[in-house]
Amino acid sequence: MKNGLLLTIILVGGIAFGQVNESLITDVTVLSHDSLEGREIGTRGELVAAHYIASRFETIGLKPFQNDSYFQEFSKKTKAHPHDTEFTGKQLSGRNVIGSIDNGSKYSIVIGAHYDHLGWGDENSLSDEHAVHNGADDNASGVAALLQLAENLFSKKLKHNIIFIAFTGEEKGLLGSHFFANSQTSGLEAISFMINMDMVGRLDEDRRLAVSGIGTSPSFVPAMETITSPEFQFKLDSSGMGPSDHTSFYLNDVPVLHFFTGQHAQYHKPEDDVELINFEGLNDVATYIEKLIIRLDKKKDLKFEKTRDASAGKRSFKVTLGIIPDYLFDGQGLKIDGVKDGRPAANAELQKDDVILKMGDLDIHSMEDYMKALGHFNPKDEIDVLFERDGEVILTKVVFD
Ligand SMILES: [Zn+2]
């Protein structure tokens, strides 16, 4: 939630960020405005956002997806539980917004960003407050970058067609991207690669940028190495599986890259607002991706490679701690970026910035160790957890739900 007039924010933004296109600021501001009520799939706010994105596509000159419409509508069941593999929950209707640049090619590049968010705080909210969750970083930032890429790539003579997709239903379990990827059975072989931007608006002082999926094609790293600016401190991950829409493409053998500027305290809370967006950083991320696309465009059909599945263990978890890990943490252990009230970690008085070193008998050196460790425990288990806080190593007891 935020206060203040839309216009004021745009004007202030325009003055404060001279290097940045006005439209980047406007797009984030409009999409994360209170009046869109958090853009939850199936709500009026989602529809308003979809129309806004479609009108931007039209102004840019993108070709509508089908029958003169930018909308790909669908109705889909959610997963009853987040880690389920089957969709057996409630029925939701929504629409992906799709536009393309037709360069007359046999091959296409997909650039995607989800535009839906948590409404007034759905089951994925990390706040107890009933309030509009604006999702400025998650993921108005990615959609704004998508629109900037559409604007800039429109006039370039590329070898590939470019398909721009604003996905819906990501927050409910990748619904929109799953629908697109699985309704395009014949078209998928013609997709050279897919780029996903999910939460790219909070580049920090250290300029840490996470890029995952680099192992899904041998062409990615060499192309990235030729780009010298903008500079980032990259956190690279080979896996094509992750908690966002690129996974839907990876599972259909499409090479993927996911860009992410990292977790923050406002993640999935009403405070994820436009005031906290680093627009220069967002612009730099979009500029980098644009350069990368132009380099990768020269290759006709990128080779796809399967990667180790970093999140494979997730589905079998019987327990969770109720924390948000710091995915960009480079040190030993698992750094906590946020804790959810009333869950095991919070009950054990673990806090943001604590670093978990040991769970039960298992040493935790990395995110992967943490994932593996979770797979070992059962509901109601009581375990010792060793963690570091301000240089001090502390032992606590955690009881799983
Ligand atoms: Zn997201």
Side-chain angles (χ1 to χ4, degrees):
M1 286 275 271
K2 60 171 173 281
N3 301 308
L5 293 167
L6 184 59
L7 192 66
T8 319
I9 296 162
I10 294 171
L11 288 175
V12 170
I15 294 159
F17 306 102
Q19 316 288 319
V20 176
N21 274 336
E22 200 91 355
S23 60
L24 197 71
I25 298 162
T26 307
D27 290 336
V28 176
T29 306
V30 170
L31 289 169
S32 63
H33 194 256
D34 280 351
S35 61
L36 270 65
E37 295 182 86
R39 311 183 303 278
E40 186 174 1
I41 182 173
T43 66
R44 183 195 140 274
E46 182 227 25
L47 188 61
V48 174
H51 277 282
Y52 176 78
I53 297 163
S55 76
R56 292 278 289 117
F57 278 1
E58 191 175 10
T59 308
I60 292 164
L62 299 189
K63 200 175 120 185
F65 168 63
Q66 59 187 7
N67 307 329
D68 293 329
S69 171
Y70 291 103
F71 296 157
Q72 180 187 39
E73 303 197 354
F74 64 87
S75 211
K76 215 168 171 345
K77 284 195 165 147
T78 58
K79 294 178 181 179
H81 304 285
H83 303 308
D84 284 358
T85 48
E86 302 293 317
F87 294 85
T88 56
K90 64 177 171 190
Q91 188 85 25
L92 289 172
S93 299
R95 57 204 55 72
N96 294 325
V97 189
I98 311 176
S100 61
I101 302 172
D102 185 351
N103 289 318
S105 173
K106 246 176 77 184
Y107 295 101
S108 298
I109 295 165
V110 170
I111 308 176
H114 77 87
Y115 74 94
D116 69 303
H117 195 52
L118 307 179
W120 281 76
D122 73 356
E123 60 282 4
N124 296 313
S125 170
L126 293 172
S127 166
D128 295 331
E129 204 186 334
H130 179 71
V132 173
H133 288 50
N134 285 316
D137 184 35
D138 187 10
N139 184 31
S141 68
V143 177
L146 180 85
L147 292 165
Q148 175 153 315
L149 285 165
E151 252 161 20
N152 292 352
L153 293 173
F154 190 76
S155 52
K156 300 263 191 318
K157 299 253 176 303
L158 297 182
K159 289 198 170 70
H160 284 80
N161 308 320
I162 318 273
I163 304 170
F164 298 89
I165 313 178
F167 296 109
T168 192
E170 189 272 349
E171 303 285 9
K172 299 285 193 278
L174 318 183
L175 299 185
S177 56
H178 183 271
F179 184 80
F180 177 87
N182 292 286
S183 64
Q184 300 283 311
T185 37
S186 55
L188 273 183
E189 309 90 76
I191 297 175
S192 286
F193 62 94
M194 187 268 183
I195 288 194
N196 181 28
M197 298 168 290
D198 191 357
M199 297 175 66
V200 286
R202 298 286 292 270
L203 192 72
D204 65 13
E205 283 170 10
D206 298 329
R207 299 183 65 80
R208 297 184 300 169
L209 179 61
V211 186
S212 44
I214 59 158
T216 61
S217 173
S219 299
F220 284 147
V221 170
M224 289 174 73
E225 281 170 347
T226 64
I227 302 172
T228 50
S229 81
E231 277 186 285
F232 297 99
Q233 197 184 309
F234 285 108
K235 168 101 182 171
L236 303 178
D237 180 8
S238 74
S239 176
M241 291 278 287
S244 187
D245 295 308
H246 54 289
T247 302
S248 302
F249 289 80
Y250 170 74
L251 291 174
N252 283 287
D253 296 348
V254 176
V256 294
L257 288 176
H258 170 217
F259 289 81
F260 170 48
T261 49
Q263 285 289 352
H264 43 75
Q266 294 77 29
Y267 172 70
H268 280 197
K269 291 184 176 170
E271 293 78 25
D272 178 5
D273 280 331
V274 66
E275 290 83 356
L276 297 171
I277 296 295
N278 173 355
F279 280 104
E280 285 174 27
L282 174 57
N283 185 59
D284 283 349
V285 172
T287 302
Y288 182 89
I289 293 172
E290 187 181 327
K291 289 185 175 185
L292 184 60
I293 287 167
I294 290 169
R295 278 163 175 76
L296 290 168
D297 174 62
K298 298 189 172 69
K299 304 204 165 263
K300 272 236 180 58
D301 195 13
L302 268 64
K303 187 167 175 281
F304 171 77
E305 281 177 359
K306 279 214 183 306
T307 56
R308 92 192 143 71
D309 181 358
S311 58
K314 268 187 188 165
R315 278 183 211 110
S316 59
F317 293 168
K318 292 192 279 291
V319 298
T320 58
L321 278 177
I323 62 161
I324 306 156
D326 179 349
Y327 293 97
L328 298 184
F329 180 61
D330 270 331
Q332 291 277 309
L334 187 280
K335 189 171 176 195
I336 299 177
D337 211 43
V339 294
K340 194 168 179 185
D341 291 344
R343 300 296 318 284
N347 294 342
E349 290 180 1
L350 285 160
Q351 302 171 1
K352 176 175 160 54
D353 295 332
D354 288 347
V355 178
I356 296 176
L357 304 171
K358 201 164 179 173
M359 293 171 69
D361 296 332
L362 306 166
D363 288 323
I364 310 295
H365 299 295
S366 63
M367 178 79 68
E368 240 173 304
D369 288 346
Y370 167 68
M371 300 282 201
K372 274 190 217 144
L374 281 181
H376 280 85
F377 302 115
N378 292 302
K380 313 291 175 209
D381 279 0
E382 182 177 322
I383 61 161
D384 288 335
V385 169
L386 203 63
F387 67 97
E388 193 188 312
R389 179 182 296 165
D390 301 326
E392 203 182 327
V393 175
I394 305 169
L395 184 68
T396 185
K397 282 213 185 302
V398 166
V399 184
F400 289 111
D401 296 338

